[in-house]
Amino acid sequence: MPAVQETVERVRRIDVDQYRYGFETLIESDKAPKGLSEDTVRFISAKKNEPAWMLEWRLEAFRRWLTMTEPSWARVHYPKIDYQDLYYYSAPKPKKTVNSLDEIDPDILKTYEKLGIPLREVEVLEGVVRPEGERRIAVDAVFDSVSVATTFQKELKAAGVIFMPISEAIREHPELVKKYLGTVVPTTDNYFATLNSAVFSDGSFVYVPPGVRCPMELSTYFRINERNTGQFERTLIIADKGSYVSYLEGCTAPQRDENQLHAAVVELVTHDDAEIKYSTVQNWYPGNSEGKGGIYNFVTKRGDCRGRNSKISWTQVETGSAITWKYPSCILRGDNSSGEFYSIAISNGYQQVDSGTKMIHLGKNTSSRIISKGIAAGKSQNTYRGLVSAHRKATGARNYTACDSLLIGDQCGAHTVPYVEAKNSSATFEHEATTSKISEDVLFYCVQRGLSQEEAVGLVVNGFVKDVLQQLPMEFAVEAQKLISISLEGSVG
Amino acid sequence: MTRLGMMLRKNVMSLLEVKDLQVRVEEREILHGLSLTVNPGEVHAIMGPNGSGKSTLSHVIAGKPGYEVTGGQVLFKGEDLLAMAPNERAAKGVFLAFQYPVEIPGVTTWNFLHAALNAQRKARGEDEMSSPAFLKKVREVAKSLSIPQDMLKRGVNVGFSGGEKKRNEILQMALFEPAVCILDEMDSGLDIDALRIAADGVNALRSPERAMVVITHYQRLLNYIVPDVVHVMSKGRVVKSGGKELALELEESGYAQFEDAA
């Protein structure tokens, strides 16, 4: 079935205004008392059996956070968040100590099954041939504040790859965590990152040793379940010399009338000749058609190309969240290092997106590429905000940026805010931007050929985002394509 | 009765019947009671000066939004065409070849054609066509019209020349096998060679079951697509109908003589 047809099918089957992942799992949970204080930070650290240095690190961040003010420069509007009215830690109450997947609460397993996330490792019998194109993906599932399962641990261990919840890594690999945590996004970085540093509860940790090509895709699946709970996950990925890893991240949350906060921090480090490919399909609950509810997604993602010839590539498909504030960035420190940012940001209803990237060229002959596709529908506002800068010593820095916006309907807005700074005269920066509308003429042409209005929009949009979709691993690309159509459901009158 | 007379006679079950059609665009009446009957196998030419309502007629038949029908009716095989959504009309067999076909970047021509064909088949309760079967069919059709295969792989009309765009319209016409084809100013923007190629494509699709309505400003196109009936439109009405010789007469004397008749 051609991809377009698939999209079309999907649109047809889905009801308007239906967020498929909006269900809630009724499960007992273990929560920290509401509100935020040093005690909350101590509570979380104690829950995780953290060493003293980690608690100190958190407290320092917390004290710093108290002195900071919430940023207001983004083109997003929301009522003031009461940070004392949130839960900062929520974990499903374990029925007993969990040693293997079979002992995980069946309700949680069911939740992930419903979400289509495979937590059970499928046994591969000898001699059984795997259908072509099917690849195995190791999954780390994070439910509210804790990681509930990480699959394929043994196989990864055999390859020398460490893939585990960061809370475990703090205990089991303190030397690695200490060496890298906060070195890309310092605890002082920004309001939300600092908050995350104080209260983060879980997330994924990946270390790929020198020369190793990670034998499978790694994936983390984030789920916010609990009411009034913030999710503050922390992800740290290190690709040592000459290694490679592809990492996928997916997110959903139940449908609720109140807003929920998600303030994550992701740090990536690549050493000489190493590469990290980081893909996100973000589908947090966007709020209902009147703009009620939805996730506030205030995320700091940054990669540091620390070594020579290293590479970091971000690909994101953003369809969910009431508000998105997110700029996955690359620091191109190593000579000849390169950074990529491929993004599809879709907003519908009352969603507000302020997203983009920063490419900081520090080393010699560094290159970066930015392809951003923003699609605004309904009454949404969609802003691309990006920085490309070349340091004084960054001779031969090159950047290519293309920002395209597509408007559907006449009540939405698309905005492009590029910042370009070149302190080295040998830098070559190119910037292209277009804004277009799905015109009546295009829609009429499609319906005259037999397509419905919605099929036509799906088709045009999929064409518009094709360059970026091609960057995603195949399984994700298919999912993303479906998501795009669903997100735009009901966008044409 | 002459052949022409037979054609103009009211037929109870003609393919397309436009009866006393009145259409407004933003409070301004464009068509003031237009009537037209098209039977299977016939090729009708509609000629007229700019602003006479030719394109409005084609848009209303195809169902383009923005037009208000204030009176009259359009029947397709006896059914009320105006009550159907535009994509339903397409599935029933109404095809409009656009004067200015749109570009759809990132969507390959063959992917677009496959999605459209399956949408039509589905609407008619037919099985969808699989990718391999479709690919085979579209290649055959393209070959029969001497359309290069690589055109199918390119984005819909993206970077196509005027001639290529028109040939893409004809390719779709051949693929969808509609009962009525309306060709809106097919000759605009084509040089004489491109025009001949496009006209050959159209002629190849003439059949005893299929009717064509050729809308044009100039007689030139009708040298290549020879019509059975020629209608002259002026100020929102058909003011004169006749055989193909009427087109030549117009070429000689222009439209001015009909201005008063309207």
Side-chain angles (χ1 to χ4, degrees):
Chain A
M1 197 189 288
V4 169
Q5 199 56 33
E6 167 111 1
T7 304
V8 158
E9 279 307 304
R10 201 72 189 198
V11 174
R12 197 173 290 145
R13 281 202 298 268
I14 282 155
D15 294 328
V16 176
D17 220 355
Q18 192 70 57
Y19 178 72
R20 324 172 32 208
Y21 306 104
F23 62 89
E24 172 180 11
T25 310
L26 292 171
I27 194 164
E28 263 196 279
S29 61
D30 191 5
K31 279 189 278 206
K34 215 180 212 180
L36 183 54
S37 65
E38 283 206 6
D39 287 344
T40 320
V41 177
R42 287 177 199 280
F43 176 96
I44 295 168
S45 187
K47 275 281 168 198
K48 299 286 176 188
N49 292 319
E50 283 177 356
W53 64 266
M54 194 65 234
L55 174 62
E56 262 323 300
W57 194 86
R58 287 175 180 276
L59 287 171
E60 202 185 300
F62 177 69
R63 287 169 201 141
R64 175 82 187 194
W65 181 74
L66 290 174
T67 67
M68 297 167 95
T69 45
E70 209 171 316
S72 58
W73 45 261
R75 198 186 176 98
V76 294
H77 304 280
Y78 54 94
K80 208 163 168 43
I81 299 170
D82 182 356
Y83 290 90
Q84 296 306 333
D85 195 34
L86 286 177
Y87 290 104
Y88 288 83
Y89 181 85
S90 167
K93 245 183 201 158
K95 302 213 161 135
K96 54 180 170 172
T97 321
V98 177
N99 290 318
S100 82
L101 267 177
D102 297 334
E103 294 171 31
I104 291 176
D105 190 322
D107 284 339
I108 294 183
L109 277 184
K110 260 187 237 153
T111 302
Y112 282 93
E113 253 163 51
K114 240 167 142 176
L115 296 168
I117 312 301
L119 287 190
R120 289 191 181 282
E121 300 173 21
V122 185
E123 297 296 330
V124 189
L125 298 171
E126 244 177 291
V128 175
V129 183
R130 202 161 263 287
E132 208 184 329
E134 189 185 325
R135 275 176 299 164
R136 283 173 308 159
I137 300 176
V139 179
D140 182 20
V142 178
F143 196 86
D144 290 338
S145 304
V146 293
S147 171
V148 292
T150 307
T151 61
F152 291 106
Q153 291 233 38
K154 273 184 208 154
E155 205 169 330
L156 288 167
K157 208 169 173 185
V161 175
I162 303 170
F163 178 40
M164 56 170 56
I166 198 160
S167 54
E168 267 177 62
I170 289 167
R171 296 192 298 266
E172 291 179 28
H173 301 282
E175 70 299 339
L176 282 173
V177 177
K178 246 184 185 167
K179 186 173 170 191
Y180 291 102
L181 188 73
T183 61
V184 187
V185 179
T187 51
T188 53
D189 195 78
N190 71 72
Y191 190 79
F192 299 112
T194 304
L195 175 63
N196 173 288
S197 300
V199 300
F200 77 87
S201 38
D202 224 330
S204 297
F205 175 82
V206 179
Y207 173 78
V208 190
V212 171
R213 196 179 165 87
C214 188
M216 61 183 80
E217 311 256 350
L218 302 183
S219 167
T220 300
Y221 199 87
F222 295 100
R223 173 79 177 166
I224 300 179
N225 188 60
E226 197 60 43
R227 194 174 288 268
N228 293 331
T229 301
Q231 191 178 48
F232 304 92
E233 90 265 2
R234 185 107 194 173
T235 297
L236 176 58
I237 302 176
I238 301 128
D240 216 325
K241 287 179 184 173
S243 69
Y244 169 84
V245 63
S246 167
Y247 182 92
L248 323 172
E249 170 196 68
C251 331
T252 59
Q255 212 159 332
R256 296 189 191 285
D257 284 347
E258 60 274 15
N259 296 104
Q260 285 179 285
L261 177 63
H262 175 256
V265 171
V266 175
E267 296 179 278
L268 312 182
V269 178
T270 47
H271 288 287
D272 291 357
D273 305 303
E275 178 177 351
I276 297 176
K277 188 172 164 62
Y278 193 106
S279 313
T280 305
V281 173
Q282 184 266 106
N283 185 24
W284 296 119
Y285 178 53
N288 71 7
S289 52
E290 272 97 52
K292 202 166 184 206
I295 301 285
Y296 291 166
N297 193 32
F298 299 149
V299 171
T300 305
K301 290 182 167 178
R302 197 172 301 152
D304 187 357
C305 286
R306 219 162 268 186
R308 298 171 60 87
N309 306 317
S310 64
K311 181 174 175 184
I312 288 176
S313 176
W314 299 98
T315 305
Q316 60 170 22
V317 178
E318 303 279 313
T319 65
S321 298
I323 299 176
T324 303
W325 180 97
K326 181 182 166 188
Y327 316 89
S329 306
C330 297
I331 300 167
L332 303 167
R333 196 185 305 275
D335 292 347
N336 302 316
S337 62
S338 62
E340 291 176 340
F341 175 74
Y342 296 98
S343 170
I344 298 171
I346 298 180
S347 54
N348 197 357
Y350 284 84
Q351 282 176 274
Q352 305 174 57
V353 178
D354 194 300
S355 184
T357 185
K358 287 189 272 185
M359 293 291 174
I360 318 281
H361 294 256
L362 302 178
K364 292 185 176 59
N365 300 316
T366 50
S367 65
S368 61
R369 185 177 170 82
I370 299 170
I371 309 286
S372 164
K373 305 274 183 180
I375 299 161
K379 294 186 168 135
S380 67
Q381 294 296 326
N382 202 321
T383 303
Y384 168 83
R385 187 183 302 276
L387 166 72
V388 178
S389 81
H391 190 262
R392 207 161 39 79
K393 291 175 182 163
T395 34
R398 294 184 309 281
N399 167 268
Y400 172 75
T401 299
C403 292
D404 298 324
S405 305
L406 185 68
L407 297 166
I408 303 175
D410 52 10
Q411 289 174 291
C412 51
H415 318 275
T416 303
V417 190
Y419 302 83
V420 179
E421 300 168 3
K423 294 192 179 130
N424 184 304
S425 59
S426 65
T428 315
F429 291 167
E430 286 176 69
H431 183 98
E432 290 175 13
T434 66
T435 301
S436 51
K437 254 186 107 156
I438 296 192
S439 69
E440 291 287 331
D441 285 345
V442 169
L443 285 181
F444 178 60
Y445 187 82
C446 294
V447 297
Q448 209 299 305
R449 297 306 186 241
L451 298 165
S452 69
Q453 291 267 338
E454 274 174 352
E455 289 167 337
V457 171
L459 194 89
V460 173
V461 169
N462 274 310
F464 177 73
V465 300
K466 196 175 164 194
D467 304 349
V468 174
L469 276 187
Q470 283 169 343
Q471 299 297 326
L472 285 171
M474 197 178 63
E475 298 85 342
F476 252 38
V478 173
E479 190 185 335
Q481 196 168 35
K482 291 168 189 165
L483 253 181
I484 289 165
S485 304
I486 295 162
S487 309
L488 292 171
E489 184 71 14
S491 59
V492 194
Chain B
M1 205 181 258
T2 61
R3 185 170 136 78
L4 178 62
M6 293 270 290
M7 284 173 177
L8 296 176
R9 180 176 54 105
K10 272 223 160 149
N11 191 324
V12 195
M13 261 302 278
S14 8
L15 198 51
L16 181 71
E17 205 170 346
V18 181
K19 292 181 180 173
D20 194 27
L21 188 64
Q22 290 152 48
V23 174
R24 281 169 179 270
V25 177
E26 291 168 358
E27 301 303 306
R28 201 164 71 88
E29 192 168 270
I30 308 284
L31 299 182
H32 323 276
L34 184 141
S35 296
L36 181 71
T37 302
V38 181
N39 293 306
E42 294 175 358
V43 174
H44 289 235
I46 296 183
M47 302 184 70
N50 286 331
S52 59
K54 305 188 298 293
S55 285
T56 298
L57 175 65
S58 67
H59 289 159
V60 171
I61 292 172
K64 186 173 180 170
Y67 296 91
E68 190 195 348
V69 177
T70 52
Q73 52 181 175
V74 180
L75 300 177
F76 178 70
K77 295 180 180 171
E79 286 185 84
D80 181 3
L81 194 66
L82 300 178
M84 299 177 204
N87 49 329
E88 268 179 86
R89 301 181 199 191
K92 294 257 183 195
V94 175
F95 182 91
L96 172 63
F98 285 69
Q99 181 177 6
Y100 303 110
V102 300
E103 298 186 6
I104 313 178
V107 180
T108 58
T109 301
W110 88 270
N111 216 338
F112 174 75
L113 299 182
H114 191 191
L117 182 66
N118 275 344
Q120 292 192 19
R121 292 173 70 102
K122 211 164 190 184
R124 293 193 291 260
E126 297 165 14
D127 283 344
E128 292 191 27
M129 198 177 262
S130 69
S131 294
F134 171 76
L135 204 55
K136 190 164 173 275
K137 185 180 166 81
V138 75
R139 282 193 177 135
E140 279 169 13
V141 172
K143 201 174 166 195
S144 73
L145 295 167
S146 310
I147 289 171
Q149 302 285 326
D150 78 276
M151 203 168 109
L152 300 170
K153 295 180 202 154
R154 291 156 63 188
V156 178
N157 293 323
V158 178
F160 284 25
S161 68
E164 282 176 322
K165 284 182 181 173
K166 296 295 160 79
R167 287 168 84 186
N168 193 8
E169 296 293 288
I170 292 160
L171 171 70
Q172 296 181 50
M173 205 154 91
L175 191 68
F176 301 147
E177 302 175 57
V180 169
C181 307
I182 299 160
L183 312 173
D184 191 4
E185 309 257 358
M186 204 189 77
D187 45 347
S188 69
L190 295 193
D191 60 38
I192 202 75
D193 292 329
L195 180 64
R196 187 178 292 127
I197 293 169
D200 286 348
V202 172
N203 286 328
L205 297 173
R206 289 176 79 152
S207 85
E209 295 80 36
R210 182 171 296 141
M212 306 227 182
V213 178
V214 182
I215 292 172
T216 183
H217 197 73
Y218 300 106
Q219 192 272 335
R220 186 178 70 163
L221 175 66
L222 305 180
N223 290 336
Y224 301 99
I225 304 172
V226 181
D228 300 303
V229 191
V230 175
H231 306 276
V232 181
M233 266 185 84
S234 180
K235 296 180 181 167
R237 280 193 192 89
V238 171
V239 290
K240 189 170 184 181
S241 298
K244 61 186 175 201
E245 64 288 345
L246 181 55
L248 293 168
E249 197 181 306
L250 277 171
E251 186 80 351
E252 290 280 310
S253 52
Y255 290 114
Q257 54 173 318
F258 298 107
E259 299 282 307
D260 299 332

